[in-house]
Each structure stands twice: as structure tokens, then as C-alpha cells.
Amino acid sequence: MNLTRVPAAPPERFNFAQHLIALNGGRGDKAAYIDDQRSLSYAALEDRVRRCASALTALGVRREERVLLLMQDCNDWPVAFLGALYAGVTPVAINTLLTADDYAYMLTHSRAQVAIVSAALFPTLQAAMAKGAHEVKQVIVSRGKEVAADPMFIAIDFDTWISGAKPAPSPADTAADEPGFWLYSSGSTGRPKGTVHSHGNLYWTAALYAEPVLGLTESDVCFSAAKLFFAYGLGNALSFPLSVGATTVLMAERPTPDACFKRFTERRPTVFFGAPTGYAGMLASPNLPTREEVALRLCSSAGEALPREIGEKFTARFGAEIIDGIGSTEMLHIFLSNRPGEVRYGTTGQAVPGYTVELRDENGAVLTGSDEVGDLYINGPTSALMYWGNRAKTHETFRGAWTKSGDKYCRDADGYYIYAGRSDDMLKVSGQYVSPFEVESTLMEHPLVLESAVIGVDDGNGLTRAKAFVVLKDAKLGNDALIEELKSFVKSKLAPYKYPRQLEFVAELPKTATGKIQRFKLRDLEKSRSDRE
């Protein structure tokens, strides 16, 4: 694998959907996608993408107008997304796990002209539209012939809609730098932001990561626990595999350990994309497959930093490395990553070729020494164009050629980056910064701990102390003696001031749909407790 050559830029006039169609022109009968119900060949994918583009145009959707995609992962998802791009229309991919209130906001904020929705999610979309949200011209229901046939619902079945259109003869004459699609941020700290990306950004994530780092080829079978509406999942299950002619397995249901194991053993993916929470759950499951039952050659992790213990245990079990990296909705995919054969568990690796990263202090000065904790900034070709209708947040995040990630990192003497927590999660204890992630990772090294989250709490004297919320592998084992044992365990491995003065056992931790721990909810919980006292 060539990890130093940076590929040529896409041409000025560039349509990403047409780019993928051209790349795969000779793979007609090969399976591009396999979902829970059927396969979709590369030839059929091209045909349906072009029909979708024509069908959108027939509905009166114009260039750069938005189309909302509220869809579970199935073969219709890439058809709808790429069909919109082919037509020069802007798909807005949204989280399938939100509420009607969230969808009402997104409909109004995006002013979507059409909504394409999975049948199972149609009632929630209806509830959103009933709240007075922006009214769409048409609702298209994926896998929903029964819903579309109901005279009470004004909806069209996706298959019927596609088959009734003629393939568009040519793609829209789009530019690499013009708006191509939107993703909404996870909203872990407030109202989700409409993040606008270009056609060219999809090209760059695949060109810089799929082949050079992951080494993907057309012989690979890819399976992503992260769904397509996530920036991470969009690369894993669309731009990456389609850029090399690989096959992708899609799954509509939640990525529980058993659901993933079913695909591991039946579909035998060679490359799996997950998150630390998912890997931890798999390793704790009594149904964990053996190495011989799977075909994994490589795994990827993002969303949160991967604890060393999880990576080492997973590799020992399956012989496949987990390539931990960090990306973001704003940068579209991973820009800092470990490499196959050079994995250092407990680190996030080094900058992906094509990106430059810096650590800066609170005053914006660049930190050059090792082990100094600073804010992570990224310069690379996949940065979003803006947050739609939010100039203040756009200026706060996108600073010229640089993007401020909101993450704290330090760099070791060998140039490997080590996660130190979110910028707004860092604790200052006894005048020194404490990374919640460092304490959490240490707690997870204890054999009885499944997950943990650490926040700062007031000790009653105006001083900040660390408090840990811990999920045990066996909840029945939680008691006062174990609390003291866990405190001593952390104290034995870290500087004494870093150990959690308080520790509470909980059944689960609050998380975003991407699996990121929502520490702000734990802080809110502590504040509400304090206010009642």
C-alpha cells in the first residue's frame, strides 16, 4: 500500500455519482449490495440511479433543492442518494433514531422538496409533518407498497416510482466544489447542524483512505455497523466500496452483537467497520464466534477513541487488527488513523496522507513538544463548506483552511496521537488537566468493567473532582467494596490526582446514535441532584 502518494484532484466539472458509474462500467453482474432481502448488481445500481434522477426531475425538484432521506440501510438507500447527486439535487441524509420533533425541525430547516422514507419510519415522518413542518411535494416510501396503497396516505412506493421512470441520459453538470449533500451533526451538545458537503469531498475521502490506508480492493466484502446516514457509515458502505468495485452488506436492524455475528458468519465480510461500544459488546457476548467462523482480514473503529484493551482482545480473538481513527461530520471521514501492520492500540495513529494536523493551545499557538495536550485542528480537502444558515457556528469551526475538531489530543515522542477527550469534557483537577478518556480507559482494563464515563463534579468547596459512572459486565457484582477496589485500581495505574473520587454503578450510559457518550447528560443529572439537595 502506498501511504505517501496523494491522488490527483477531481476535475473542476465533476459529478460523484457519474464518477462511480464510470469506475464500475465493467462490473455489470457483480453484486454491489446485499441487503436483508435481495442483491443489487452494479449494472442494476447504475440503472436505478439514473431512473431515480429522472424521477426526481419529473417531480419538479430543481438543481440544489433538497431531498430528505429518512431510510434504514437497504439497497434503496444508495440508489436514492446517488440518484439525487446524479440529478444535481441535494440529498439530506438524516438519523433514523430521532423523534418527530427532530424531523419537523429538519424538514423546515432544509426546506426539502421530497422525502424518501422507509415504511417502518413513515408514521414518525407523518407525525413530524403534522407539527406544521415545511410541506414536501411528495413522499416516497421504500419497501412500502402496502403503505403507499393506503388511500389515507399520499405516498408513492419507491420501486413503482423508480420503474416508471426512464433512465436519465446524462448527469447534471455539477462542479466538484458545489454543494452535493447534507449531513446533520449528531447533536451531542445541542440542536443538530446541517453540514453541507461537496461532490468532491466524497471523492477525496475514498481516494485518501479506502485504498491507501485500508487497502480495499474489489475482492473485499464490506460491512458497517455504522449506518449510511452517518459520515463514517457513508464512507464505509458507499464511497469506499463503490470506488474499488467491492461488495457491501447492508443491515436495516440495530447493530447488536448477535445481529453483527449473523452477518459475520453468513455473509462473511472481510472488512468490518464498527465503534468502540460495539466491539466491547461483542467481546462480552457469550455468542462470540470463533476465528474460524469469520473471514475478517481488517476492522475499523471510529466515533470515540478505542481503548487499548478492546483492540488487543479483539485481535487476539480474530487475528484481525482494528484500525482506530478519528473523523467527523465536518471532515466527512477519518483524517487521523492507525495503519495496518503499524497499529499502536491506545493511540489514534498519525495523520492520513493528504491531511495536516496541528495541536494548539488555548491562545492558538501551535504545540510542538510531546505529551502536551492541545486542541486538534485539521487541514484537508474534505472539510465541509458550511453549516447551513448558521454563520456563527461556521466561523467557530471552519477557520480558513483549518477545521477545529473540538477534540483534545497529545502526541508521543514517536509522533502518534493520543486522545485526551472532548475540549468541553476536559477536567482541571488540582490545577492540572485530566482527560476523562484516560480514566475511562483505565477503568475498562479492570476485568469486571464493561463501560465507563467520567465527568467533573463540585466537591462542595468549589473544587472539581472526577466522578466515574461504571457499567459492569455483571450488575449483581456492584457493591461498596468494588467501588473502593476500582478507585485503587485507577490510582495504581495513573497519577494519584486522576483517580475518580466518586464512583457510581449504572445500568447503561447515555449516548448519541453514533455511540458517543453524552457526558453533558451525566453533568445535567448531577446538577439536578445537587439542586434538589
Side-chain angles (χ1 to χ4, degrees):
M1 291 174 290
N2 186 343
L3 299 182
T4 58
R5 179 185 64 84
V6 176
E12 181 182 350
R13 309 308 301 177
F14 180 78
N15 183 292
F16 185 70
Q18 173 58 25
H19 168 70
L20 292 181
I21 287 172
L23 285 178
N24 294 294
R27 296 190 173 96
D29 292 335
K30 183 180 180 184
Y33 286 98
I34 304 172
D35 70 11
D36 298 334
Q37 297 182 20
R38 56 197 181 210
S39 292
L40 184 70
S41 70
Y42 271 97
L45 175 63
E46 175 185 349
D47 179 69
R48 287 172 71 82
V49 164
R50 293 172 60 201
R51 288 178 186 273
C52 181
S54 180
L56 285 169
T57 302
L59 287 176
V61 185
R62 297 173 295 182
R63 284 279 300 272
E64 296 187 22
E65 288 185 327
R66 271 75 66 191
V67 172
L68 199 78
L69 305 188
L70 177 55
M71 305 173 71
Q72 296 172 330
D73 280 16
C74 70
N75 295 346
D76 292 345
W77 204 107
V79 169
F81 183 83
L82 294 174
L85 291 181
Y86 196 88
V89 172
T90 305
V92 179
I94 61 175
N95 191 327
T96 59
L97 305 174
L98 302 180
T99 66
D101 286 337
D102 293 315
Y103 299 141
Y105 167 76
M106 292 173 178
L107 281 167
T108 300
H109 183 246
S110 69
R111 297 194 296 277
Q113 299 299 297
V114 170
I116 305 178
V117 59
S118 292
L121 300 169
F122 183 61
T124 310
L125 179 66
Q126 274 193 302
M129 293 189 292
K131 291 178 178 290
H134 165 79
E135 187 173 342
V136 299
K137 293 179 179 177
Q138 184 65 62
V139 176
I140 315 295
V141 184
S142 169
R143 309 284 168 95
K145 289 187 177 180
E146 293 180 0
V147 172
D150 190 324
M152 293 181 62
F153 301 149
I154 304 174
I156 303 174
D157 172 64
F158 188 86
D159 281 338
T160 303
W161 181 61
I162 290 288
S163 62
K166 294 182 178 180
S170 59
D173 182 25
T174 52
D177 286 342
E178 76 177 58
F181 64 101
W182 293 16
L183 300 172
Y184 275 94
S185 66
S186 62
S188 59
T189 57
R191 180 72 87 173
K193 299 178 288 291
T195 310
V196 182
H197 279 284
S198 69
H199 280 259
N201 285 4
L202 287 162
Y203 165 86
W204 278 116
T205 55
L208 295 177
Y209 201 74
E211 291 184 79
V213 176
L214 297 176
L216 287 184
T217 71
E218 63 180 345
S219 62
D220 277 311
V221 177
C222 298
F223 172 47
S224 177
K227 300 300 185 180
L228 278 159
F229 60 77
F230 296 132
Y232 181 43
L234 183 62
N236 304 341
L238 192 145
S239 56
F240 289 7
L242 294 185
S243 71
V244 299
T247 296
T248 302
V249 174
L250 295 179
M251 177 179 73
E253 65 184 297
R254 289 178 55 246
T256 62
D258 284 345
C260 290
F261 297 158
K262 178 179 173 64
R263 275 73 186 180
F264 283 0
T265 57
E266 293 183 0
R267 299 299 184 187
R268 297 184 65 78
T270 57
V271 182
F272 173 68
F273 302 86
T277 300
Y279 286 112
M282 289 182 196
L283 290 170
S285 171
N287 300 322
L288 188 67
T290 65
R291 181 182 298 197
E292 293 71 28
E293 292 177 292
V294 305
L296 297 173
R297 70 166 183 83
L298 185 68
C299 296
S300 169
S301 180
E304 291 224 291
L306 180 74
R308 179 194 304 272
E309 174 124 350
I310 291 175
E312 291 175 346
K313 284 185 175 180
F314 195 91
T315 297
R317 176 75 175 195
F318 294 111
E321 293 179 312
I322 301 178
I323 309 302
D324 187 29
I326 182 176
S328 67
T329 304
E330 291 74 14
M331 293 303 295
L332 191 54
H333 211 276
I334 291 172
F335 48 81
L336 187 64
S337 180
N338 277 274
R339 311 285 200 275
E342 302 175 15
V343 171
R344 291 197 185 185
Y345 287 126
T347 80
T348 315
Q350 298 174 310
V352 172
Y355 295 91
T356 303
V357 297
E358 288 183 353
L359 298 181
R360 302 181 187 178
D361 67 15
E362 295 173 351
N363 299 314
V366 177
L367 301 175
T368 58
S370 60
D371 299 325
E372 294 183 281
V373 175
D375 293 306
L376 183 68
Y377 284 74
I378 313 100
N379 183 338
T382 61
S383 176
L385 301 175
M386 70 180 98
Y387 295 129
W388 183 263
N390 196 333
R391 183 185 293 264
K393 284 292 185 181
T394 296
H395 287 176
E396 182 181 323
T397 300
F398 305 107
R399 306 186 179 193
W402 294 87
T403 299
K404 184 178 181 181
S405 74
D407 297 286
K408 292 277 190 182
Y409 267 85
C410 65
R411 183 176 47 241
D412 69 16
D414 295 324
Y416 282 75
Y417 286 77
I418 301 168
Y419 184 65
R422 290 288 296 174
S423 298
D424 55 2
D425 286 331
M426 290 292 288
L427 310 179
K428 207 163 193 179
V429 178
S430 302
Q432 302 180 73
Y433 278 114
V434 175
S435 162
F437 181 76
E438 183 181 24
V439 181
E440 291 161 4
S441 297
T442 302
L443 280 165
M444 289 175 64
E445 292 178 16
H446 193 281
L448 299 183
V449 175
L450 177 62
E451 291 183 299
S452 67
V454 173
I455 63 169
V457 296
D458 193 315
D459 70 351
N461 298 308
L463 299 175
T464 298
R465 293 290 182 261
K467 175 172 181 177
F469 293 83
V470 172
V471 180
L472 295 175
K473 294 177 181 176
D474 184 348
K476 296 190 294 292
L477 298 178
N479 55 44
D480 290 344
L482 183 56
I483 288 176
E484 297 307 315
E485 179 182 334
L486 292 175
K487 288 181 181 179
S488 299
F489 181 78
V490 174
K491 196 183 297 186
S492 71
K493 292 178 173 291
L494 301 178
Y497 71 89
K498 295 183 178 182
Y499 88 92
R501 268 50 169 198
Q502 299 178 37
L503 194 147
E504 179 179 337
F505 296 122
V506 293
E508 59 181 357
L509 299 174
K511 297 172 186 172
T512 68
T514 60
K516 294 179 182 178
I517 296 170
Q518 295 174 307
R519 295 181 185 85
F520 76 94
K521 288 192 175 181
L522 297 174
R523 290 192 289 268
D524 290 345
L525 173 64
E526 285 298 299
K527 185 178 185 303
S528 66
R529 288 173 174 174
S530 176
D531 291 344
R532 290 196 299 268
E533 293 177 355

